[in-house]
Amino acid sequence: DQQVKQNSPSLSVQEGRISILNCDYTNSMFDYFLWYKKYPAEGPTFLISISSIKDKNEDGRFTVFLNKSAKHLSLHIVPSQPGDSAVYFCAAILLGGSNYKLTFGKGTLLTVNP
Amino acid sequence: GAGVSQSPRYKVAKRGQDVALRCDPISGHVSLFWYQQALGQGPEFLTYFQNEAQLDKSGLPSDRFFAERPEGSVSTLKIQRTQQEDSAVYLCASSLDSMNTEAFFGQGTRLTVV
């Protein structure tokens, strides 16, 4: 039973355009969400996070939006660059309970074409 | 080094063989995690240490899997009598404290059981 779902296995975007990666979750108790980026043969790298008390967090070209009522979050990358091509994982944490355990989605492979 | 280091990077084991995977976390990081990532999936939690104490091993798939962190620094994940279904990338992550809101991952060990 997947508690964090990334329903799009892949996404292809033109350089300079916006990339939107989506993530849904089923456990309403999750209260902290993270996005990780993973290049081939490397470990995941932390990208950006958001607390459930917020609906938006921005860091440079990266913005994460959280819609708690819909149990949905999205990562926006604008403008997209070829170096952004990687697998993006959405992850969630229960801060009050098992605050040490990241629950990951299956990932979305983003390809940014020059 | 500055990051989380895992060794070996690649391991091929014959079915039934025992393997040991090593993780060197970032110096001073209290928390250490092991995750298993099967092909096409997101990382899945295996076990968690806070210093030398293994606080959660609920994700270990069977009693063939064993992890230790005897001095609160380096950790070893041991798999006894490996099976083909154990083939995966094993990721280690560490974070400064128990609030795992920014865990740093190693490059992983790719285990192939033949």
Side-chain angles (χ1 to χ4, degrees):
Chain A
D1 180 32
Q2 276 239 296
Q3 295 190 67
V4 177
K5 300 177 184 179
Q6 294 177 258
N7 292 320
S8 297
S10 63
L11 174 68
S12 186
V13 171
Q14 208 61 31
E15 181 179 5
R17 306 294 290 270
I18 185 171
S19 295
I20 300 176
L21 298 125
N22 292 303
C23 177
D24 297 289
Y25 60 96
T26 57
N27 189 343
S28 58
M29 300 298 289
F30 285 138
D31 45 15
Y32 200 84
F33 304 90
L34 307 90
W35 284 93
Y36 280 84
K37 176 179 179 179
K38 186 181 181 303
Y39 291 118
E42 294 186 13
T45 303
F46 170 77
L47 191 58
I48 193 170
S49 62
I50 188 166
S51 165
S52 61
I53 62 172
K54 295 186 175 182
D55 55 16
K56 178 182 175 182
N57 188 25
E58 192 171 350
D59 183 3
R61 296 185 298 114
F62 303 91
T63 303
V64 56
F65 294 93
L66 175 63
N67 182 334
K68 280 190 69 178
S69 60
K71 297 194 189 71
H72 176 83
L73 63 156
S74 60
L75 174 67
H76 292 212
I77 306 172
V78 55
S80 302
Q81 300 173 353
D84 296 329
S85 298
V87 176
Y88 289 78
F89 290 100
C90 172
I93 300 179
L94 276 162
L95 284 180
S98 306
N99 59 351
Y100 40 81
K101 185 187 304 188
L102 286 163
T103 301
F104 285 89
K106 290 187 177 184
T108 297
L109 173 63
L110 173 66
T111 303
V112 180
N113 301 302
Chain B
V4 178
S5 178
Q6 291 187 245
S7 60
R9 289 291 312 277
Y10 303 93
K11 175 71 179 177
V12 178
K14 290 185 178 178
R15 193 168 59 178
Q17 186 180 348
D18 297 349
V19 298
L21 313 179
R22 178 187 168 105
C23 173
D24 282 88
I26 294 173
S27 178
H29 277 197
V30 166
S31 296
L32 185 144
F33 315 82
W34 284 98
Y35 287 83
Q36 180 191 58
Q37 185 178 11
L39 192 64
Q41 304 294 316
E44 292 197 0
F45 172 82
L46 292 177
T47 187
Y48 162 66
F49 290 86
Q50 191 172 101
N51 296 307
E52 69 279 2
Q54 188 175 22
L55 299 187
D56 189 336
K57 53 182 181 179
S58 63
L60 296 176
S62 78
D63 58 8
R64 296 186 294 104
F65 286 70
F66 172 76
E68 60 183 5
R69 193 186 184 197
E71 296 178 1
S73 178
V74 171
S75 176
T76 304
L77 176 67
K78 296 179 180 178
I79 309 173
Q80 297 177 324
R81 304 181 304 282
T82 52
Q83 304 294 316
Q84 280 193 313
E85 62 263 27
D86 300 335
S87 296
V89 175
Y90 290 86
L91 292 162
C92 176
S94 70
S95 66
L96 189 58
D97 54 30
S98 61
M99 297 295 285
N100 181 25
T101 54
E102 192 170 342
F104 296 85
F105 281 82
Q107 293 176 305
T109 294
R110 179 177 293 280
L111 172 66
T112 304
V113 181
V114 297

